[in-house]
């Protein structure tokens, strides 16, 4: 079966939980005081979806506005983007809008975007009206997920959805296998036997 | 009485278990211990020590090390969910979190403590009980109407005058001075001994024990156990592993005598999660229940539902002190007696085992009964595999121990070296600084690493104060920040331009070096760090605050007072080799990353090529390294050494350091793809543990003349 390798990027205001969501998903870890991200972290996970499997290479970017210019380096060529806001912080939701705009104009045309309303374990402090968020995303034709990196709620589903949408959007490219350029995102299933191959042995 | 020794068996640490009793190295004159789920405590009458997972940093201490910031003398302590609770020898109780003790208030002096999974019981000198924590099953004993979390100690209303208490996972037992036993909390499986399985919300007398005089009690996770004055052992509750010692696996809801021990006179007893251990008058130790980690001490890892003799025997016990302590899957004996280590009662499978390698299912000895028997050849093959794994694991353990020992030796040598250097700095160098600062002697001293005591002072002298920043200037800016804060509270931060980055500072403070807890909310350094960064942001609105700066400021504050740290920060960040990173100026960063790449290619062409093939660009890691000057990635000792050299030689050292780190990662990096490389780069602190090695590697990185020229241009053009 084919494995699709794709780059996705996490975007959103500082402290909304981008790193926490990625870590929860990839390593099932949660730290209450996750250290602030400087520039970007890199994580990978192989996701099995009914249609095949997708290797998500996640670039988890820093949230501070100042890093925004650099973030473009990461979302360029990305097949998917996860935009995160904090349901207890109005301003972080406003940022979602500007990120979507930026991606639509600057990123790859068929980039798949999903939005996560994170920290839904803190429902009491909610500042963003849920129907409002859903309506907004519906208009933009973007899937919205309620997530909690703390409890793990919605995290798995969200990444699965992201992976399967990316698969659908890019499956055309799967057929034209050709050479596996490292930077090309599509590769045909190869078994990775690092011990045996020692140095990376090109493609299959 | 002889000297106190401690023996342990079962799961002794997160990654190590032994089916045979092992003598544990402990602080001299230890008087008591507590085995927690992740960390364990041991204390002498003056100090408290812990091993296992550190409650704040989560790093593993392999041997007992002193718990910092405790000035009181401990008489008992326990650890529960990252909090240590300490009972002092004058009856006071402290809650200890994030390395800080805080006093809990009681009307009387406390004499004992016990804890369950989420609750704590305290017993005062008058026999009164107090409880706090989570009461889901009535384990606080405060009646059916107190459900949920109780954050401070509350009196438990009881009729008895208690002398001993014990907590299970979510049930409790109390012993009163008349030898009566009261239980409360979860009653599942009959663990409360009231001939039913109801939860009890208040201490409730076990009537079936009225004919006995009980002298000692202990709770397992889900079972309970008591000793009578005649030395009988009685057990009740969950029995899924045979922990009741009754020869079957049926739960008991009334205390039942462990008949196979009749006549042996049990002196002390303790319960682990699913096992029970007792020591008899003749010095023999008997265990029953779960044995999978070797916690029974019988030399193997099978469960037993009948008391089985452990290998350890205490000689001449009636004249010696002996006390049993259990962790959830371990057993410890603290004794003043001489111990003999008998042979295992049944042949052992392996000497020790790695828990991750040998989970229950892969063990040769464990096979579900509904499966047909294994083919003998296959069984033999499996056994061999298991033995191989065990051997490999033992080798690893030995290797690790050797490394730790080497590390300790190195530390001792290093400490002596630092003391000696300290003298030189204080007597020979600092008083004659102007004359000596350019001398070979100073260069040599700096390369060997500055002693922490003079580090801040020497850094300051190396950097000087070319900008002429005064203390007043600093204070004015701190105050200005205060005022701006109020404005920010109402207005929108972005309207303020880069000064608006002020709002990020607050979020990041407690997240800086969070493992160490120095900068947590409420700690003294928290406010200082905030002041420092805010003042900087206001003085350099062209740069503002960038996430990552908090680490640099934090490092400075750990070595210098705030004003001096401020002065340093202003000067460090101004360097042309660094400033584009703080401005997040793409062009400038690209140019400096290119410079780094050239230096990498010049020194380590094969790594450079490998990075190109795998799509690893220097910007992916260099931005973080430079924005934090490595202080987020390397551990503090090592990064301090890099900084010593940085202040002495200038910012090119930081480029060399980057290449040097890649050199140390060496061949490991060559076998990895992008994901693997990024993974390695995110944990360089595990590879660069020795400052000397890193300094040596930095020195080995050659800087060609044309790079020096390029740096010159950069400084001139300020690009």
């Amino acid at each position: 079966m084919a494995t699709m390798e794709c780059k996705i990027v996490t975007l959103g205001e500082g402290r909304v939980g981008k790193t926490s969501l990625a870590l929860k998903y990839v390593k099932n870890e949660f730290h209450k005081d996750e250290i602030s991200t400087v520039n970007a972290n890199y994580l990978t996970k192989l996701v099995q979806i009914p249609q095949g499997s997708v290797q998500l290479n996640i670039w988890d970017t820093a949230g501070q506005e100042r890093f925004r210019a650099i973030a473009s380096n990461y979302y360029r060529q990305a097949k998917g983007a996860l935009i995160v806001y904090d349901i207890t912080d109005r301003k972080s939701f406003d940022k979602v809008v500007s990120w979507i705009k930026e991606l639509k104009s600057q990123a790859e045309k068929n980039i798949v975007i999903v939005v996560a309303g994170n920290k839904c374990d803190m429902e009491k402090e909610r500042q963003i009206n849920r129907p409002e968020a859903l309506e907004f995303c519906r208009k933009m034709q973007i899937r919205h997920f309620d997530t909690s990196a703390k409890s793990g709620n919605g995290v798995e589903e969200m990444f699965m959805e992201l992976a399967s949408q990316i698969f659908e959007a890019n499956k055309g490219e799967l057929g034209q296998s050709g050479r596996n350029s490292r930077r090309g995102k599509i590769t045909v299933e190869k078994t990775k036997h690092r011990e045996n191959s020692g140095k990376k042995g090109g493609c299959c | 009485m002889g000297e106190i020794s401690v023996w342990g068996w079962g799961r002794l640490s997160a990654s190590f278990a032994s089916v045979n009793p092992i003598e544990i190295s402990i602080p001299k004159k230890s008087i008591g211990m507590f085995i927690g789920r992740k960390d364990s405590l041991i204390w002498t009458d003056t100090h408290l020590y812990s091993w296992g997972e550190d409650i704040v940093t989560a790093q593993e201490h392999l041997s007992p090390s002193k718990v910092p910031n405790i000035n009181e003398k401990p008489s008992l302590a326990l650890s529960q969910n990252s909090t240590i609770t300490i009972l002092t020898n004058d009856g006071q109780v402290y809650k200890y979190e994030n390395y800080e003790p805080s006093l809990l208030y009681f009307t009387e002096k406390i004499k004992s403590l016990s804890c369950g999974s989420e609750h704590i019981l305290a017993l005062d000198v008058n026999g009164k009980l107090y409880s706090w924590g989570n009461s889901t099953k009535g384990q606080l004993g405060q009646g059916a109407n107190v459900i949920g979390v109780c954050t401070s100690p509350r009196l438990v209303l009881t009729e008895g005058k208690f002398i001993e208490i014990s907590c299970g996972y979510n049930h409790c037992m109390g012993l009163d001075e008349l030898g009566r036993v009261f239980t409360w909390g979860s009653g599942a499986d009959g663990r409360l001994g009231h001939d039913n399985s109801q939860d009890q919300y208040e201490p409730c007398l076990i009537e079936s024990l009225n004919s006995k005089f009980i002298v000692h009690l202990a709770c397992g996770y889900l079972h309970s156990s008591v000793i009578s004055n005649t030395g009988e052992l009685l057990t009740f509750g969950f029995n899924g592993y045979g922990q009741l010692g009754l020869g079957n696996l049926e739960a008991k809801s009334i205390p039942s005598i462990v008949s196979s021990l009749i006549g042996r006179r049990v002196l002390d007893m303790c319960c682990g999660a699913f096992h029970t251990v007792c020591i008899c008058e003749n010095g023999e130790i008997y265990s029953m229940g779960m044995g999978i980690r070797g916690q029974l001490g019988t030399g193997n890892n099978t469960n037993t539902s009948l008391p089985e003799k452990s290998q350890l025997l205490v000689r001449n016990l009636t004249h010696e002190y002996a006390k049993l302590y259990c962790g959830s899957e371990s057993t410890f004996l603290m004794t003043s007696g001489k111990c003999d280590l008998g042979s295992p009662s049944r042949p052992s499978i392996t000497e020790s085992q790695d828990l991750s390698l040998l989970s229950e299912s892969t063990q040769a000895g464990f096979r579900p009964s509904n499966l047909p028997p294994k083919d003998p050849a296959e069984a033999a093959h499996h056994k061999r595999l298991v033995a191989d794994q065990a051997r490999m694991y033992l080798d690893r353990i030995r290797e690790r121990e050797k490394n730790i020992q080497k590390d300790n030796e190195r530390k001792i040598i290093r400490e002596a070296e630092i003391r000696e250097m300290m003298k030189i700095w204080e007597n020979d160098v600092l008083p004659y600084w102007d004359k000596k600062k350019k001398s070979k002697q100073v260069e040599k001293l700096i390369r060997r690493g500055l002693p922490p005591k003079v580090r801040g002072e020497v850094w300051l002298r190396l950097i000087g104060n070319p900008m002429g920043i005064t203390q007043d200037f600093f204070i004015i800016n701190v105050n200005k920040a205060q005022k701006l804060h109020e404005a920010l509270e109402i207005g929108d931060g972005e309207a303020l331009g880069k000064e608006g980055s002020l709002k990020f500072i607050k979020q990041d403070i407690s997240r800086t070096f969070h493992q160490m807890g120095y900068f947590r909310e409420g700690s003294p350094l928290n406010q200082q760090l905030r002041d420092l960064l805010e003042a900087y942001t206001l003085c350099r609105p062209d740069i503002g605050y960038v996430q990552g700066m908090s680490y640099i400021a934090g490092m400075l504050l750990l070595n210098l007072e705030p004003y001096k740290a401020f002065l340093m920060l202003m000067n460090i960040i101004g360097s042309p080799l660094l400033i584009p990173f703080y401005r997040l100026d793409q062009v400038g960063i690209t140019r400096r990353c290119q410079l780094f790449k050239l230096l990498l290619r010049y020194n380590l062409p094969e790594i450079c090529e490998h990075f190109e093939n795998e799509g690893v660009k220097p910007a992916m890691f260099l931005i973080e390294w430079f924005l934090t000057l490595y202080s987020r990635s390397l551990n503090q000792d090592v990064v301090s050494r890099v900084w010593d050299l940085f202040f002495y030689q200038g910012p090119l050292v930081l480029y060399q350091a980057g290449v040097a780190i890649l050199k140390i990662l060496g061949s490991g990096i060559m076998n990895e793809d992008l994901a693997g490389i990024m993974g390695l780069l995110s944990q360089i602190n595990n590879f660069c543990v020795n400052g000397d090695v890193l300094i040596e590697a930095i020195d080995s990185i050659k800087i060609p003349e044309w790079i020096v020229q390029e740096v010159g241009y950069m400084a001139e053009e300020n690009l």
Side-chain angles (χ1 to χ4, degrees):
Chain A
M1 190 163 35
T3 294
M4 183 183 289
E5 199 171 323
C6 63
K7 174 161 121 180
I8 66 170
V9 57
T10 66
L11 300 168
E13 176 79 326
R15 216 66 245 254
V16 296
K18 295 175 294 299
T19 303
S20 295
L21 280 174
L23 271 183
K24 182 73 192 177
Y25 179 61
V26 174
K27 299 189 179 164
N28 195 23
E29 283 176 8
F30 178 78
H31 312 283
K32 197 174 130 283
D33 275 313
E34 186 55 56
I35 54 179
S36 46
T37 303
V38 177
N39 193 20
N41 303 322
Y42 183 75
L43 295 158
T44 64
K45 178 149 175 160
L46 188 68
V47 196
Q48 299 296 341
I49 53 170
Q51 307 92 309
S53 48
V54 179
Q55 160 102 28
L56 292 179
N57 298 333
I58 306 168
W59 284 100
D60 166 37
T61 68
Q64 194 186 2
E65 182 66 21
R66 306 270 320 269
F67 286 93
R68 193 148 175 166
I70 292 184
S72 66
N73 295 330
Y74 294 101
Y75 67 65
R76 225 177 284 140
Q77 296 168 345
K79 294 285 179 198
L82 165 62
I83 306 180
V84 188
Y85 70 93
D86 172 353
I87 64 160
T88 70
D89 176 6
R90 180 82 233 175
K91 277 184 200 147
S92 74
F93 185 70
D94 299 339
K95 277 276 159 56
V96 172
V97 184
S98 72
W99 274 118
I100 293 178
K101 272 191 203 146
E102 181 165 339
L103 287 178
K104 295 243 162 164
S105 65
Q106 309 286 325
E108 302 242 321
K109 286 235 157 37
N110 62 350
I111 187 166
V112 175
I113 304 173
V114 296
V115 169
N118 195 32
K119 305 195 189 174
C120 69
D121 51 291
M122 291 160 70
E123 192 59 41
K124 276 187 200 145
E125 293 161 51
R126 184 184 266 282
Q127 282 190 8
I128 318 298
N129 184 325
R130 192 162 177 275
E132 178 197 338
L134 289 179
E135 176 57 19
F136 167 80
C137 289
R138 198 187 55 78
K139 268 195 207 144
M140 291 283 191
Q141 294 183 311
I142 287 171
R143 279 290 304 268
H144 176 282
F145 288 85
D146 295 309
T147 60
S148 162
K150 190 175 179 185
S151 70
N153 253 353
V155 178
E156 186 87 31
E157 295 90 308
M158 176 177 66
F159 280 98
M160 285 287 272
E161 172 68 20
L162 188 58
S164 87
Q165 278 196 35
I166 291 173
F167 192 94
E168 284 305 315
N170 297 282
K171 65 182 173 191
E173 292 173 46
L174 261 183
Q176 36 162 301
S177 109
R179 287 192 54 80
N180 156 32
S181 84
R182 268 278 148 180
R183 246 145 271 126
K185 273 73 59 186
I186 315 295
T187 57
V188 179
E189 174 80 0
K190 54 178 178 189
T191 35
K192 283 190 181 170
H193 279 304
R194 286 233 179 83
E195 315 84 275
N196 300 345
S197 60
K199 238 186 126 175
K200 172 187 71 83
C203 80
C204 36
Chain B
M1 289 213 304
E3 208 159 280
I4 291 286
S5 64
V6 170
W7 294 75
W9 53 94
R11 184 177 186 153
L12 300 176
S13 75
S15 56
F16 180 67
S18 170
V19 297
N20 296 317
I22 294 175
E23 189 169 354
I24 312 278
S25 70
I26 52 159
K28 268 208 173 122
K29 297 190 177 163
S30 293
I31 54 172
M33 56 200 285
F34 172 86
I35 314 300
R37 283 216 329 237
K38 289 183 173 164
D39 61 320
S40 301
L41 307 169
I42 190 162
W43 53 92
T44 64
D45 57 10
T46 51
H47 290 104
L48 180 65
Y49 301 78
S50 76
W51 77 95
E53 196 174 280
D54 189 288
I55 59 162
V56 177
T57 65
Q59 277 162 348
E60 194 175 355
H61 301 288
L62 290 159
S63 54
S65 62
K66 234 180 241 176
V67 180
N69 280 353
I70 295 182
N71 303 319
E72 313 292 329
K73 294 178 173 172
S75 80
L76 203 153
L78 49 86
S79 173
Q80 181 192 45
N81 308 328
S82 306
T83 306
I84 294 176
T85 307
I86 303 156
L87 173 62
T88 67
N89 67 350
D90 55 358
Q92 295 198 303
V93 179
Y94 288 86
K95 182 175 157 188
Y96 179 87
E97 265 175 323
N98 297 333
Y99 303 141
E100 290 298 334
S102 57
L103 185 65
L104 293 176
Y105 180 75
F106 294 91
T107 42
E108 285 295 335
K109 288 183 175 179
I110 298 299
K111 70 172 209 183
S112 180
L113 297 169
S114 179
C115 73
S117 73
E118 289 179 309
H119 73 290
I120 298 182
L121 278 187
L123 173 64
D124 78 8
V125 288
N126 295 333
K128 288 210 175 72
L129 291 179
Y130 303 83
S131 64
W132 64 100
N134 200 347
S135 178
T136 44
K137 298 283 183 185
Q139 58 266 49
L140 295 187
Q142 307 197 344
N145 50 349
V146 178
I147 290 282
V149 179
C150 195
T151 49
S152 54
R154 277 211 214 177
L155 187 65
V156 179
L157 294 175
T158 56
E159 49 171 301
K161 190 173 170 190
F162 286 87
I163 56 169
E164 192 183 350
I165 46 175
S166 176
C167 296
Y169 186 78
N170 52 13
H171 76 294
C172 305
M173 291 203 283
L175 176 65
D176 78 356
E177 57 182 356
L178 304 174
R180 299 184 299 176
V181 177
F182 294 77
T183 57
W184 62 100
S186 168
D189 307 302
R191 70 189 75 152
L192 299 184
H194 300 308
D195 202 10
N196 59 42
S197 53
Q198 280 164 13
D199 300 343
Q200 296 291 344
Y201 293 85
E202 281 160 25
C204 188
L205 179 71
I206 301 185
E207 286 176 6
S208 64
L209 283 174
N210 278 353
S211 59
K212 312 239 176 236
F213 191 96
I214 302 302
V215 292
H216 176 56
L217 42 74
C219 295
Y221 265 27
L222 317 173
H223 73 289
S224 312
S225 177
V226 299
I227 306 177
S228 74
N229 60 345
T230 57
E232 287 167 321
L233 179 67
L234 296 99
T235 56
F236 47 104
F238 180 67
N239 194 20
Y241 298 92
Q243 58 262 57
L244 302 189
L246 303 172
N248 58 47
L249 302 180
E250 280 161 37
K252 278 275 180 299
S253 59
I254 51 166
S256 312
I257 296 180
V258 179
S259 53
S260 56
L261 288 175
I262 289 177
R264 284 212 154 80
R265 211 183 155 86
V266 175
L267 295 184
D268 187 32
M269 164 273 299
C270 194
C271 297
F274 305 109
H275 69 291
T276 310
V277 188
C278 62
I279 184 162
C280 303
E281 198 175 29
N282 61 0
E284 288 173 346
I285 296 170
Y286 285 86
S287 319
M288 55 216 96
M290 184 192 264
I292 184 71
R293 309 295 187 199
Q295 61 262 57
L296 301 181
T298 47
N300 60 57
N301 45 15
T302 42
N303 304 344
T304 170
S305 64
L306 280 172
E308 194 168 328
K309 204 177 355 172
S310 303
Q311 293 174 69
L312 206 66
L313 177 88
V314 184
R315 265 193 264 159
N316 204 9
L317 180 60
T318 41
H319 294 89
E320 302 288 351
Y321 167 86
K323 179 131 191 65
L324 289 162
Y325 297 90
C326 287
S328 55
E329 298 176 320
S330 59
T331 308
F332 292 84
L333 173 74
M334 181 181 272
T335 181
S336 62
K338 282 226 157 29
C339 292
D340 289 333
L341 196 53
S343 55
S345 56
R346 276 185 268 155
S348 65
I349 298 173
T350 55
E351 189 184 335
S352 307
Q353 49 167 314
D354 179 352
L355 302 166
S356 57
L357 289 175
L358 302 177
S359 67
E360 282 92 308
S361 59
T362 58
Q363 263 167 44
F366 280 76
R367 189 170 177 84
S369 54
N370 55 347
L371 294 180
K374 249 187 217 174
D375 168 28
E378 192 195 339
H381 175 63
H382 280 181
K383 248 188 197 158
R384 256 200 317 278
L385 285 182
V386 169
D388 282 351
Q389 283 177 340
R391 213 170 303 126
M392 252 169 55
Y393 179 66
L394 279 179
D395 287 348
R396 250 168 50 205
I397 291 252
R398 277 184 207 121
E399 178 81 2
R400 196 163 99 175
E401 273 167 6
K402 228 196 279 166
N403 285 341
I404 289 167
Q405 203 183 341
K406 249 198 232 152
D407 237 41
N408 285 342
E409 281 165 15
R410 217 187 63 217
K411 260 185 215 149
I412 292 169
I413 295 173
R414 178 76 191 156
E415 271 162 25
E417 193 186 23
I418 285 175
R419 268 197 303 276
E420 175 208 330
M421 285 196 292
M422 191 58 217
K423 270 188 222 148
I424 304 178
W425 277 105
E426 279 184 330
N427 301 332
D428 300 349
V429 181
L430 288 178
Y432 316 102
W433 178 250
D434 284 335
K435 232 189 281 166
K436 292 204 168 177
K437 64 183 172 192
K438 296 214 168 97
S439 67
K440 275 262 172 263
Q441 183 194 19
V442 166
E443 185 188 344
K444 221 172 132 193
L445 281 170
I446 286 173
R447 268 176 206 290
R448 283 168 68 194
L450 292 167
K453 240 178 111 183
V454 294
R455 180 164 264 142
E457 179 61 28
V458 176
W459 283 356
L460 199 64
R461 291 195 189 200
L462 287 170
I463 289 290
N465 187 3
M467 293 177 163
I469 292 159
T470 62
Q471 182 137 17
D472 282 347
F473 181 70
F474 173 57
I475 292 166
I476 288 167
N477 280 292
V478 170
N479 292 337
K480 203 166 133 198
Q482 218 78 48
K483 293 213 181 83
L484 255 172
H485 262 295
E486 289 147 25
L488 270 171
E489 291 292 317
I490 7 172
D492 179 15
E494 264 142 56
L496 291 165
K498 287 180 184 164
E499 288 178 11
S501 47
L502 275 184
K503 69 173 177 156
F504 274 92
I505 295 176
K506 195 174 166 228
Q507 308 179 339
D508 282 350
I509 303 263
S510 59
R511 300 205 278 175
T512 302
F513 299 119
H514 73 316
Q515 314 91 317
M516 291 192 278
Y518 292 132
F519 299 104
R520 278 173 196 246
E521 199 101 6
S523 74
L525 282 172
N526 178 291
Q527 187 61 41
Q528 289 185 8
L529 181 55
R530 191 168 160 180
D531 288 345
L532 176 55
L533 289 168
E534 291 181 344
Y536 179 80
T537 305
L538 292 183
C539 297
R540 292 299 304 255
D542 57 327
I543 295 175
Y545 170 73
V546 185
Q547 283 186 332
M549 246 180 218
S550 61
Y551 285 87
I552 303 181
M555 268 290 282
L556 290 170
L557 278 177
L558 291 176
N559 288 288
L560 287 158
E561 56 166 288
Y563 154 65
K564 289 177 178 166
F566 173 72
L567 192 159
M568 291 280 290
L569 188 65
M570 290 287 282
N571 284 302
I572 297 169
I573 291 180
S575 155
L577 272 177
L578 295 174
I579 206 159
F581 290 95
Y582 297 93
R583 288 205 171 112
L584 291 163
D585 144 33
Q586 286 258 43
V587 179
I589 291 177
T590 309
R591 200 158 156 205
R592 279 148 191 84
C593 286
Q594 187 62 26
L595 184 74
F596 179 84
K597 197 170 161 183
L598 292 173
L599 190 65
L600 179 62
R601 179 175 295 148
Y602 185 79
N603 285 280
L604 305 165
E606 52 307 325
I607 289 186
C608 188
E609 193 194 333
H610 181 60
F611 275 14
E612 271 175 20
N613 291 339
E614 297 297 330
V616 179
K617 296 182 187 128
M620 290 173 182
F621 50 90
L622 212 57
I623 295 179
E624 185 202 308
W625 285 357
F626 281 11
L627 276 180
T628 59
L629 304 180
Y630 299 101
S631 53
R632 188 176 182 264
S633 327
L634 294 173
N635 69 44
Q636 225 192 325
D637 288 341
V638 178
V639 81
S640 302
R641 298 286 301 272
V642 176
W643 283 28
D644 293 346
L645 218 53
F646 164 43
F647 296 138
Y648 184 69
Q649 292 186 334
L652 253 181
V653 164
L654 299 171
Y655 286 70
Q656 285 173 290
V659 177
I661 289 167
L662 298 177
K663 185 176 179 180
I664 290 173
L665 293 177
S667 57
I669 226 170
M670 294 299 291
N671 295 327
E672 296 290 342
D673 62 4
L674 175 65
I677 294 168
M678 293 309 291
L680 282 175
L681 292 179
S682 69
Q683 41 159 330
I684 53 175
N685 58 327
N686 292 332
F687 296 91
C688 306
V689 281
N690 183 334
D692 290 332
V693 173
L694 183 58
I695 296 298
E696 199 177 302
I698 290 175
D699 282 338
S700 76
I701 303 303
K702 300 276 171 295
I703 301 179
E705 191 53 40
W706 46 270
I707 283 197
V708 179
Q709 272 177 13
E710 175 74 13
V711 171
Y713 295 146
M714 278 183 187
E716 271 170 37
E717 297 165 27
N718 209 4
L719 275 175

